Amino acid sequence: MNFLLTGGVVFRDGTFQNMDVAISKGRIVSVSPSLSQEGFSVIECQDQVIVPGFVDVHVHLREPGFSYKETVASGTAAAAAGGYTAVCAMPNLDPVPDALDHLRPELDAVARDARVRVYPYGAITRGEKGAELAELRAMKPFVCGFSDDGKGVQSRERMRDAMLLAKELNKPITAHCEDESLLTPGWCVHNGDWAKRNGFPGNNSESEWRQVERDLELVRETGCRYHVCHVSTKESVALIRQAKAEGLPVSCETGPHYLILCDEDLMDDGRFKMSPPIRSAADRDALVEGLLDGTIDCIATDHAPHSAEEKSRGLRSLNGIVGLECAFPVLYTQLVEPGVVPFATLLNALCVNPRRLFRLPGGKIEAGEIADLTVLDLNWPHTIDSTTFFSQGRATPFDGWTVTAGVDKTICNGNLVYTASSHNVNKTPIPPCQEDYI
Ligand SMILES: [Zn+2]
């Protein structure tokens, strides 16, 4: 299919330019202020912004092993509806992708059902159990990096071994940082004033930042590319800022919920339960500061669906919320509209930096690039309604929030994969893009 996106404002090189974009055979073929419409199916983008498709470097698609929570089909449909053209899929699956034969079922499900590009992570350790290293070398051609997400790697020696090998393989280690020896059993919220007032066991900030601190020492020693998952504490932000100033190959992400909410917003509802927990106002403000000064590179949702029953036990529910289908509208409305974060900074965190860090194709709206694009409508007041989600998960703290912007269309591999007007996701499988990737 050939498409011409006309009348829109294109985000390129950090600026906004009035341009038409022509797409043919999965590629951008021309970008110019005015293009001939002959031979193209025209998509009117008046008053809309065309950006490189979003990339979420931290999602849980739950297949194989937990298809009652989510599948590759439902999770990538949610991604398409949220404006994402690529997601990096975490390995806490069954089987855990810790060897090629354990990665195969996930690759098969992706080849069959992915509505956007999926780049799996391989596990760092066998079964994500922290004892023995997984088969990193064998998995390398098929994965975007290595992670034991859901758990921290407790052994310093094992993490050092993993970093040395990842460095040799030129892949990043993407770390869920959590020192279990510093955790309170049964924690369900941040260990702050709200926890004390309301009588809930708290999770210490130290459990996160102590492990970030340890890993940064190992990066200094090994030179491994290292990405910190879902940074939630002000201390972690300060450590990562310092490491970047030293020139270490370090990057990180945080989630929309950590940038927008704090523990004073908590309700005893599964929609507010995730790991790490939503922390104090001071932590939230430090995260926003980190996004503004470039310490925080990416916004990733940590989309982690569970069944309704699993999320029915208030703040004692399983950890994880969904994020793909409301991230952009909520971030734009809460951070860009009030002038807290420049729009270009938000877009860089959603679509430019993730590709640069994980060496994924796309990210530029130029002739010759792959046609992975998102069309945004910034004048679209509506309400987040989780009952309309393509995800099987429904738990988000932003359910019912009023937003002023949204994703109008998502184009992946030159195909129109999502259209808001019909709320439809195209079921054609989308291949991962191997170019520049292995
Ligand atoms: Zn995690």
Side-chain angles (χ1 to χ4, degrees):
M1 196 66 171
N2 299 337
F3 290 111
L4 184 73
L5 307 177
T6 183
V9 174
V10 173
F11 180 64
R12 323 162 83 186
D13 306 325
T15 64
F16 296 91
Q17 307 171 8
N18 290 299
M19 292 282 176
D20 289 354
V21 181
I23 295 168
S24 180
K25 300 193 183 91
R27 297 260 158 195
I28 297 170
V29 290
S30 187
V31 184
S32 171
S34 180
L35 288 171
S36 161
Q37 302 187 352
E38 212 180 305
F40 288 97
S41 166
V42 174
I43 299 177
E44 288 291 346
C45 300
Q46 229 71 44
D47 299 322
Q48 295 183 324
V49 180
I50 301 163
V51 303
F54 301 154
V55 177
D56 193 330
V57 300
H58 192 142
V59 305
H60 298 270
L61 296 177
R62 305 301 197 197
E63 185 182 2
F66 305 94
S67 294
Y68 70 96
K69 298 176 194 270
E70 191 79 294
T71 61
V72 168
S74 63
T76 55
Y84 294 87
T85 56
V87 296
C88 300
M90 285 297 177
N92 50 347
L93 302 167
D94 187 11
V96 170
D98 54 10
L100 209 44
D101 57 332
H102 288 166
L103 178 60
R104 190 58 61 191
E106 184 184 2
L107 295 175
D108 289 346
V110 166
R112 191 178 61 235
D113 286 333
R115 296 350 181 191
V116 299
R117 303 186 201 272
V118 176
Y119 298 100
Y121 284 101
I124 297 173
T125 65
R126 273 198 199 279
E128 290 201 339
K129 292 189 192 317
E132 278 175 83
L133 275 197
E135 294 181 17
L136 276 57
R137 192 183 300 279
M139 294 189 288
K140 172 200 147 107
F142 306 98
V143 299
C144 60
F146 300 101
S147 182
D148 269 3
D149 187 54
K151 290 179 203 164
V153 175
Q154 301 303 305
S155 154
R156 172 187 278 263
E157 286 64 40
R158 203 60 60 249
M159 193 53 139
R160 182 190 287 111
D161 295 344
M163 283 193 188
L164 285 169
L165 186 48
K167 158 86 177 159
E168 184 193 325
L169 300 174
N170 195 16
K171 290 280 179 186
I173 293 282
T174 296
H176 171 118
C177 289
E178 190 171 44
D179 182 332
E180 290 165 11
S181 71
L182 298 169
L183 282 176
T184 309
W187 71 264
C188 49
V189 294
H190 170 60
N191 189 19
D193 294 343
W194 193 92
K196 290 185 192 93
R197 276 203 320 273
N198 292 279
F200 285 103
N203 166 315
N204 294 313
S205 294
E206 205 176 353
S207 63
E208 175 181 293
W209 67 260
R210 281 286 180 204
Q211 196 157 85
V212 173
E213 185 179 53
R214 178 202 73 181
D215 284 357
L216 292 174
E217 288 167 15
L218 293 173
V219 173
R220 208 169 280 129
E221 188 183 321
T222 61
C224 174
R225 276 158 64 205
Y226 174 73
H227 178 85
V228 188
C229 291
H230 42 55
V231 170
S232 70
T233 72
K234 57 184 190 301
E235 293 86 356
S236 302
V237 175
L239 285 164
I240 294 162
R241 182 179 288 123
Q242 172 61 37
K244 286 188 164 193
E246 270 182 58
L248 297 181
V250 169
S251 60
C252 71
E253 73 195 33
T254 191
H257 40 292
Y258 305 115
L259 288 166
I260 292 167
L261 301 169
C262 71
D263 56 358
E264 296 298 330
D265 300 312
L266 292 177
M267 291 189 247
D268 189 6
D269 182 318
R271 296 184 299 117
F272 292 83
K273 178 69 189 306
M274 76 293 290
S275 171
I278 291 166
R279 298 200 185 268
S280 71
D283 292 297
R284 178 198 59 200
D285 295 350
L287 291 166
V288 172
E289 200 54 49
L291 179 64
L292 289 172
D293 74 9
T295 303
I296 293 175
D297 304 271
C298 307
I299 300 176
T301 66
D302 191 3
H303 178 85
H306 292 292
S307 71
E309 194 277 322
E310 289 168 333
K311 292 304 281 181
S312 68
R313 293 184 281 279
L315 287 168
R316 296 175 199 278
S317 299
L318 290 186
N319 287 316
I321 58 171
V322 296
L324 290 166
E325 286 165 271
C326 55
F328 174 74
V330 170
L331 288 163
Y332 184 84
T333 306
Q334 293 292 318
L335 298 180
V336 178
E337 253 198 2
V340 177
V341 172
F343 191 26
T345 303
L346 175 64
L347 292 175
N348 284 331
L350 289 173
C351 55
V352 177
N353 298 340
R355 288 189 171 87
R356 175 173 53 77
L357 294 166
F358 289 84
R359 315 224 166 137
L360 303 177
K364 283 202 183 107
I365 303 184
E366 301 287 351
E369 290 283 331
I370 54 168
D372 286 12
L373 301 168
T374 299
V375 181
L376 304 172
D377 188 339
L378 305 184
N379 298 292
W380 176 18
H382 65 286
T383 301
I384 302 294
D385 176 1
S386 68
T387 64
T388 67
F389 285 177
F390 287 91
S391 173
Q392 289 171 214
R394 293 285 179 272
T396 164
F398 302 118
D399 203 11
W401 282 38
T402 301
V403 292
T404 56
V407 171
D408 188 60
K409 292 181 185 70
T410 307
I411 294 167
C412 188
N413 204 32
N415 299 339
L416 189 56
V417 293
Y418 173 71
T419 311
S421 57
S422 55
H423 196 53
N424 180 56
V425 171
N426 190 325
K427 295 193 168 54
T428 311
I430 299 279
C433 193
Q434 296 296 332
E435 176 195 354
D436 303 331
Y437 168 60
I438 296 172

